[in-house]
Amino acid sequence: MCLLTERDPITTAKAVATLDHISNGRVIFGVAGGWIKEAIENHGCPFKQRWEVVRERAIAIKTIWASDPAEYHGKYVNFEKITSFPKPLQENGPPIYIGSNSSKVPDRVVDYADGWMPIYDKYEGDPLNDLNEACLKKGRDPKDFTTLLFGAPRDINVLEDFATRGCKGFIFLVPPEQSDNIPSVLDEIKNLKTGLAKKWRIARDNTPSNIRVKQTITGPHMLARFSVNERTDLYPDDIALAKAYASALTEELEQVVSEGCDYVQ
């Protein structure tokens, strides 16, 4: 997570693009505004305008990634034509996820980001519903954005609800009182995954016959991928069931991974 209020956009663009090559295109660029007034203002950013600064710096970084030469002229970021290399390995650059819990974040995500990491017990609304409404206002497709639930509860019913409504992943935290027993925490999370997979298999068994689920295994890194072939004549609930089925199949890839697959998506 990068506090863009405390970073120069030109050097940050170069640093993140370089990391994208080192990581073989696996960077997810998290951005935020920060909350410590003194720290933010010590970096030359006005505290009350910090999210305006984040917006301009994020857009400027994406401009540098996409263009050569690149230039940007805004209120808080302003530079003439520059050349900056390397360009990111990922097409269009690493996805930018906002880490914040303000009610204004859904609109910010739709404006200049690719995803969101709301904190489960901090955000007051429903992040998925609010993001969908923001997309509707701007004429954007909610499927273009990724939501990862940060600080997800270890409650299978909550996880199932979020997963079936489009949440793409969960980030679990280890409370201080369990920091000396990490293996048991990981076992609990593994059991949650298994429980979700069982529920999704029920959805699979009830998936309408007009939905096709495709399995492909491709190189160069033996990427194993399950994807849903969506059709416009399907009801949204049918598509949700198929997506749940595809997600459940991830567990069944463990044998593939053990035989040399580098990672599973």
Side-chain angles (χ1 to χ4, degrees), residues 15-58:
V16 175
T18 301
L19 181 60
D20 200 43
H21 282 269
I22 293 173
S23 67
N24 199 28
R26 292 184 292 174
V27 170
I28 296 174
F29 187 38
V31 304
W35 57 274
I36 301 177
K37 182 176 184 292
E38 294 82 0
I40 292 171
E41 293 186 340
N42 281 342
H43 285 272
C45 173
F47 183 75
K48 290 185 177 180
Q49 286 76 43
R50 63 193 183 280
W51 279 104
E52 297 175 42
V53 173
V54 169
R55 177 184 183 274
E56 286 199 6
R57 290 182 178 177

Short mmCIF file of all heavy atoms in Angstrom, two decimals, residues 15-58:
data_model
loop_
_atom_site.label_atom_id
_atom_site.label_comp_id
_atom_site.label_asym_id
_atom_site.label_seq_id
_atom_site.Cartn_x
_atom_site.Cartn_y
_atom_site.Cartn_z
N ALA A 15 9.55 3.17 -10.29
CA ALA A 15 9.81 2.13 -9.29
C ALA A 15 8.81 0.98 -9.41
O ALA A 15 9.18 -0.20 -9.37
CB ALA A 15 9.76 2.73 -7.89
N VAL A 16 7.53 1.31 -9.55
CA VAL A 16 6.50 0.26 -9.63
C VAL A 16 6.62 -0.50 -10.95
O VAL A 16 6.44 -1.73 -10.98
CB VAL A 16 5.09 0.88 -9.47
CG1 VAL A 16 4.01 -0.18 -9.67
CG2 VAL A 16 4.94 1.52 -8.09
N ALA A 17 6.93 0.19 -12.03
CA ALA A 17 7.12 -0.49 -13.32
C ALA A 17 8.30 -1.46 -13.25
O ALA A 17 8.25 -2.58 -13.78
CB ALA A 17 7.35 0.53 -14.43
N THR A 18 9.36 -1.04 -12.58
CA THR A 18 10.52 -1.92 -12.40
C THR A 18 10.16 -3.15 -11.59
O THR A 18 10.50 -4.29 -11.94
CB THR A 18 11.67 -1.15 -11.70
OG1 THR A 18 12.02 -0.02 -12.49
CG2 THR A 18 12.89 -2.05 -11.53
N LEU A 19 9.43 -2.94 -10.50
CA LEU A 19 8.98 -4.06 -9.67
C LEU A 19 8.08 -5.01 -10.45
O LEU A 19 8.12 -6.23 -10.24
CB LEU A 19 8.25 -3.53 -8.43
CG LEU A 19 7.74 -4.58 -7.44
CD1 LEU A 19 8.88 -5.41 -6.89
CD2 LEU A 19 6.98 -3.90 -6.30
N ASP A 20 7.31 -4.47 -11.37
CA ASP A 20 6.43 -5.31 -12.17
C ASP A 20 7.25 -6.29 -13.03
O ASP A 20 6.85 -7.43 -13.22
CB ASP A 20 5.54 -4.44 -13.07
CG ASP A 20 4.30 -5.18 -13.55
OD1 ASP A 20 3.68 -5.89 -12.73
OD2 ASP A 20 3.96 -5.06 -14.74
N HIS A 21 8.39 -5.83 -13.51
CA HIS A 21 9.27 -6.73 -14.27
C HIS A 21 9.93 -7.76 -13.35
O HIS A 21 9.99 -8.95 -13.69
CB HIS A 21 10.34 -5.93 -15.01
CG HIS A 21 9.84 -5.28 -16.26
ND1 HIS A 21 9.91 -5.89 -17.50
CD2 HIS A 21 9.24 -4.08 -16.47
CE1 HIS A 21 9.39 -5.09 -18.42
NE2 HIS A 21 8.97 -3.98 -17.81
N ILE A 22 10.41 -7.30 -12.20
CA ILE A 22 11.07 -8.22 -11.27
C ILE A 22 10.12 -9.32 -10.82
O ILE A 22 10.51 -10.48 -10.65
CB ILE A 22 11.60 -7.43 -10.05
CG1 ILE A 22 12.72 -6.48 -10.49
CG2 ILE A 22 12.10 -8.37 -8.96
CD1 ILE A 22 13.18 -5.54 -9.40
N SER A 23 8.85 -8.97 -10.63
CA SER A 23 7.85 -9.93 -10.14
C SER A 23 7.17 -10.69 -11.26
O SER A 23 6.23 -11.46 -11.01
CB SER A 23 6.79 -9.20 -9.31
OG SER A 23 6.02 -8.33 -10.13
N ASN A 24 7.63 -10.48 -12.49
CA ASN A 24 7.03 -11.14 -13.64
C ASN A 24 5.56 -10.77 -13.80
O ASN A 24 4.71 -11.60 -14.11
CB ASN A 24 7.18 -12.66 -13.57
CG ASN A 24 6.99 -13.32 -14.92
OD1 ASN A 24 7.24 -12.72 -15.96
ND2 ASN A 24 6.53 -14.57 -14.92
N GLY A 25 5.25 -9.50 -13.60
CA GLY A 25 3.91 -9.00 -13.87
C GLY A 25 2.87 -9.32 -12.82
O GLY A 25 1.70 -9.46 -13.13
N ARG A 26 3.29 -9.40 -11.56
CA ARG A 26 2.34 -9.77 -10.50
C ARG A 26 2.05 -8.64 -9.53
O ARG A 26 1.46 -8.86 -8.47
CB ARG A 26 2.85 -11.00 -9.74
CG ARG A 26 2.86 -12.26 -10.60
CD ARG A 26 3.27 -13.47 -9.81
NE ARG A 26 4.67 -13.39 -9.42
CZ ARG A 26 5.26 -14.29 -8.62
NH1 ARG A 26 4.58 -15.28 -8.10
NH2 ARG A 26 6.55 -14.16 -8.32
N VAL A 27 2.44 -7.41 -9.88
CA VAL A 27 2.23 -6.29 -8.97
C VAL A 27 0.76 -5.86 -8.95
O VAL A 27 0.12 -5.73 -9.99
CB VAL A 27 3.10 -5.08 -9.37
CG1 VAL A 27 2.70 -3.84 -8.58
CG2 VAL A 27 4.58 -5.40 -9.15
N ILE A 28 0.23 -5.68 -7.76
CA ILE A 28 -1.04 -4.99 -7.54
C ILE A 28 -0.69 -3.73 -6.76
O ILE A 28 -0.13 -3.80 -5.67
CB ILE A 28 -2.04 -5.85 -6.75
CG1 ILE A 28 -2.41 -7.11 -7.55
CG2 ILE A 28 -3.29 -5.05 -6.42
CD1 ILE A 28 -3.28 -8.08 -6.76
N PHE A 29 -0.98 -2.59 -7.34
CA PHE A 29 -0.53 -1.31 -6.78
C PHE A 29 -1.63 -0.72 -5.90
O PHE A 29 -2.60 -0.14 -6.39
CB PHE A 29 -0.16 -0.37 -7.92
CG PHE A 29 0.48 0.92 -7.48
CD1 PHE A 29 1.38 0.94 -6.43
CD2 PHE A 29 0.19 2.11 -8.14
CE1 PHE A 29 1.98 2.12 -6.02
CE2 PHE A 29 0.79 3.30 -7.75
CZ PHE A 29 1.69 3.31 -6.68
N GLY A 30 -1.46 -0.87 -4.60
CA GLY A 30 -2.43 -0.30 -3.66
C GLY A 30 -2.08 1.14 -3.34
O GLY A 30 -0.91 1.47 -3.09
N VAL A 31 -3.07 2.02 -3.35
CA VAL A 31 -2.82 3.44 -3.07
C VAL A 31 -3.80 3.93 -2.00
O VAL A 31 -4.91 3.41 -1.87
CB VAL A 31 -2.95 4.31 -4.34
CG1 VAL A 31 -2.01 3.82 -5.43
CG2 VAL A 31 -4.39 4.33 -4.85
N ALA A 32 -3.35 4.93 -1.27
CA ALA A 32 -4.20 5.54 -0.23
C ALA A 32 -3.72 6.95 0.02
O ALA A 32 -2.68 7.38 -0.50
CB ALA A 32 -4.16 4.71 1.05
N GLY A 33 -4.51 7.67 0.83
CA GLY A 33 -4.18 9.06 1.12
C GLY A 33 -3.45 9.25 2.43
O GLY A 33 -2.72 10.22 2.61
N GLY A 34 -3.66 8.33 3.36
CA GLY A 34 -3.06 8.47 4.68
C GLY A 34 -3.96 9.27 5.63
O GLY A 34 -4.94 9.88 5.21
N TRP A 35 -3.61 9.27 6.91
CA TRP A 35 -4.45 9.95 7.89
C TRP A 35 -3.64 10.78 8.90
O TRP A 35 -4.21 11.52 9.71
CB TRP A 35 -5.30 8.94 8.65
CG TRP A 35 -4.52 7.86 9.34
CD1 TRP A 35 -4.10 6.68 8.81
CD2 TRP A 35 -4.05 7.87 10.70
NE1 TRP A 35 -3.39 5.95 9.73
CE2 TRP A 35 -3.35 6.66 10.91
CE3 TRP A 35 -4.16 8.78 11.75
CZ2 TRP A 35 -2.76 6.33 12.12
CZ3 TRP A 35 -3.55 8.46 12.97
CH2 TRP A 35 -2.88 7.24 13.14
N ILE A 36 -2.31 10.68 8.87
CA ILE A 36 -1.50 11.45 9.80
C ILE A 36 -1.21 12.81 9.17
O ILE A 36 -0.40 12.93 8.25
CB ILE A 36 -0.19 10.71 10.14
CG1 ILE A 36 -0.51 9.34 10.75
CG2 ILE A 36 0.64 11.54 11.11
CD1 ILE A 36 0.71 8.50 11.04
N LYS A 37 -1.88 13.82 9.66
CA LYS A 37 -1.82 15.16 9.07
C LYS A 37 -0.40 15.68 8.96
O LYS A 37 0.02 16.21 7.92
CB LYS A 37 -2.69 16.11 9.89
CG LYS A 37 -2.77 17.54 9.36
CD LYS A 37 -3.75 18.35 10.20
CE LYS A 37 -3.94 19.76 9.67
NZ LYS A 37 -2.73 20.59 9.81
N GLU A 38 0.36 15.56 10.05
CA GLU A 38 1.72 16.10 10.06
C GLU A 38 2.60 15.42 9.01
O GLU A 38 3.38 16.08 8.31
CB GLU A 38 2.35 15.94 11.45
CG GLU A 38 1.67 16.75 12.53
CD GLU A 38 0.42 16.09 13.10
OE1 GLU A 38 0.07 14.97 12.64
OE2 GLU A 38 -0.21 16.70 13.98
N ALA A 39 2.47 14.10 8.89
CA ALA A 39 3.30 13.37 7.93
C ALA A 39 2.96 13.78 6.50
O ALA A 39 3.85 13.99 5.67
CB ALA A 39 3.10 11.87 8.11
N ILE A 40 1.67 13.89 6.22
CA ILE A 40 1.23 14.25 4.87
C ILE A 40 1.71 15.66 4.51
O ILE A 40 2.25 15.89 3.42
CB ILE A 40 -0.30 14.14 4.78
CG1 ILE A 40 -0.73 12.67 4.87
CG2 ILE A 40 -0.81 14.78 3.48
CD1 ILE A 40 -2.22 12.48 5.01
N GLU A 41 1.54 16.59 5.43
CA GLU A 41 1.92 17.98 5.13
C GLU A 41 3.44 18.15 5.10
O GLU A 41 3.95 19.03 4.41
CB GLU A 41 1.28 18.91 6.15
CG GLU A 41 -0.25 18.94 5.99
CD GLU A 41 -0.92 19.97 6.89
OE1 GLU A 41 -0.29 20.40 7.88
OE2 GLU A 41 -2.08 20.33 6.59
N ASN A 42 4.18 17.30 5.82
CA ASN A 42 5.64 17.35 5.74
C ASN A 42 6.15 16.97 4.35
O ASN A 42 7.28 17.31 3.98
CB ASN A 42 6.27 16.42 6.78
CG ASN A 42 6.27 17.03 8.17
OD1 ASN A 42 6.13 18.24 8.33
ND2 ASN A 42 6.43 16.19 9.18
N HIS A 43 5.32 16.27 3.59
CA HIS A 43 5.66 15.90 2.22
C HIS A 43 5.10 16.90 1.20
O HIS A 43 5.11 16.63 0.00
CB HIS A 43 5.15 14.49 1.90
CG HIS A 43 5.96 13.41 2.54
ND1 HIS A 43 7.08 12.86 1.95
CD2 HIS A 43 5.83 12.79 3.75
CE1 HIS A 43 7.60 11.93 2.74
NE2 HIS A 43 6.86 11.86 3.84
N GLY A 44 4.60 18.01 1.69
CA GLY A 44 4.15 19.06 0.79
C GLY A 44 2.74 18.90 0.26
O GLY A 44 2.34 19.59 -0.68
N CYS A 45 1.96 18.04 0.88
CA CYS A 45 0.58 17.81 0.43
C CYS A 45 -0.39 18.43 1.42
O CYS A 45 -0.34 18.13 2.62
CB CYS A 45 0.32 16.31 0.31
SG CYS A 45 -1.41 15.89 -0.05
N PRO A 46 -1.29 19.28 0.97
CA PRO A 46 -2.31 19.85 1.88
C PRO A 46 -3.26 18.75 2.36
O PRO A 46 -3.83 18.02 1.55
CB PRO A 46 -3.02 20.88 1.01
CG PRO A 46 -2.77 20.47 -0.40
CD PRO A 46 -1.44 19.80 -0.42
N PHE A 47 -3.43 18.65 3.66
CA PHE A 47 -4.18 17.53 4.24
C PHE A 47 -5.61 17.46 3.71
O PHE A 47 -6.10 16.38 3.36
CB PHE A 47 -4.17 17.64 5.76
CG PHE A 47 -4.86 16.49 6.44
CD1 PHE A 47 -4.24 15.26 6.53
CD2 PHE A 47 -6.13 16.65 7.00
CE1 PHE A 47 -4.87 14.19 7.16
CE2 PHE A 47 -6.76 15.59 7.64
CZ PHE A 47 -6.13 14.36 7.71
N LYS A 48 -6.30 18.58 3.67
CA LYS A 48 -7.71 18.57 3.27
C LYS A 48 -7.89 18.22 1.79
O LYS A 48 -8.99 17.81 1.38
CB LYS A 48 -8.35 19.92 3.57
CG LYS A 48 -8.53 20.18 5.07
CD LYS A 48 -9.29 21.47 5.32
CE LYS A 48 -9.53 21.70 6.80
NZ LYS A 48 -10.28 22.95 7.07
N GLN A 49 -6.86 18.39 1.01
CA GLN A 49 -6.94 18.09 -0.42
C GLN A 49 -6.22 16.78 -0.77
O GLN A 49 -5.91 16.52 -1.93
CB GLN A 49 -6.35 19.23 -1.25
CG GLN A 49 -7.22 20.47 -1.32
CD GLN A 49 -7.19 21.29 -0.05
OE1 GLN A 49 -6.12 21.50 0.54
NE2 GLN A 49 -8.36 21.76 0.39
N ARG A 50 -5.95 15.95 0.25
CA ARG A 50 -5.10 14.78 0.00
C ARG A 50 -5.67 13.83 -1.04
O ARG A 50 -4.91 13.25 -1.83
CB ARG A 50 -4.82 14.04 1.31
CG ARG A 50 -6.06 13.44 2.01
CD ARG A 50 -5.68 13.01 3.43
NE ARG A 50 -6.78 12.38 4.16
CZ ARG A 50 -7.76 13.04 4.75
NH1 ARG A 50 -7.80 14.37 4.67
NH2 ARG A 50 -8.72 12.40 5.39
N TRP A 51 -6.99 13.67 -1.10
CA TRP A 51 -7.53 12.74 -2.08
C TRP A 51 -7.53 13.33 -3.49
O TRP A 51 -7.48 12.59 -4.47
CB TRP A 51 -8.94 12.28 -1.66
CG TRP A 51 -8.84 11.19 -0.64
CD1 TRP A 51 -9.06 11.31 0.70
CD2 TRP A 51 -8.43 9.84 -0.86
NE1 TRP A 51 -8.83 10.11 1.34
CE2 TRP A 51 -8.45 9.19 0.40
CE3 TRP A 51 -8.08 9.12 -1.98
CZ2 TRP A 51 -8.12 7.85 0.54
CZ3 TRP A 51 -7.74 7.78 -1.85
CH2 TRP A 51 -7.76 7.16 -0.60
N GLU A 52 -7.58 14.64 -3.59
CA GLU A 52 -7.40 15.26 -4.90
C GLU A 52 -5.98 15.01 -5.40
O GLU A 52 -5.75 14.77 -6.59
CB GLU A 52 -7.68 16.77 -4.82
CG GLU A 52 -9.11 17.12 -4.44
CD GLU A 52 -9.28 18.61 -4.25
OE1 GLU A 52 -8.72 19.39 -5.05
OE2 GLU A 52 -9.96 19.02 -3.27
N VAL A 53 -5.02 15.07 -4.47
CA VAL A 53 -3.63 14.80 -4.82
C VAL A 53 -3.45 13.34 -5.23
O VAL A 53 -2.79 13.03 -6.22
CB VAL A 53 -2.70 15.15 -3.64
CG1 VAL A 53 -1.27 14.71 -3.93
CG2 VAL A 53 -2.76 16.64 -3.34
N VAL A 54 -4.06 12.43 -4.46
CA VAL A 54 -3.98 11.00 -4.81
C VAL A 54 -4.52 10.76 -6.21
O VAL A 54 -3.91 10.04 -7.02
CB VAL A 54 -4.76 10.14 -3.78
CG1 VAL A 54 -4.90 8.71 -4.28
CG2 VAL A 54 -4.07 10.17 -2.43
N ARG A 55 -5.66 11.37 -6.52
CA ARG A 55 -6.26 11.19 -7.84
C ARG A 55 -5.30 11.63 -8.96
O ARG A 55 -5.05 10.88 -9.91
CB ARG A 55 -7.57 11.96 -7.95
CG ARG A 55 -8.23 11.88 -9.32
CD ARG A 55 -9.48 12.74 -9.40
NE ARG A 55 -10.11 12.58 -10.70
CZ ARG A 55 -9.78 13.28 -11.78
NH1 ARG A 55 -8.80 14.19 -11.72
NH2 ARG A 55 -10.40 13.08 -12.93
N GLU A 56 -4.77 12.84 -8.82
CA GLU A 56 -3.90 13.35 -9.88
C GLU A 56 -2.62 12.53 -10.00
O GLU A 56 -2.16 12.24 -11.11
CB GLU A 56 -3.57 14.82 -9.64
CG GLU A 56 -4.73 15.75 -9.93
CD GLU A 56 -4.28 17.20 -10.14
OE1 GLU A 56 -3.05 17.46 -10.17
OE2 GLU A 56 -5.16 18.07 -10.28
N ARG A 57 -2.06 12.15 -8.88
CA ARG A 57 -0.82 11.36 -8.94
C ARG A 57 -1.07 9.97 -9.52
O ARG A 57 -0.24 9.46 -10.27
CB ARG A 57 -0.17 11.29 -7.55
CG ARG A 57 0.38 12.65 -7.13
CD ARG A 57 1.08 12.63 -5.78
NE ARG A 57 1.61 13.95 -5.47
CZ ARG A 57 2.22 14.28 -4.34
NH1 ARG A 57 2.38 13.37 -3.38
NH2 ARG A 57 2.67 15.51 -4.15
N ALA A 58 -2.20 9.37 -9.19
CA ALA A 58 -2.53 8.06 -9.76
C ALA A 58 -2.71 8.16 -11.28
O ALA A 58 -2.20 7.31 -12.04
CB ALA A 58 -3.79 7.49 -9.11
#
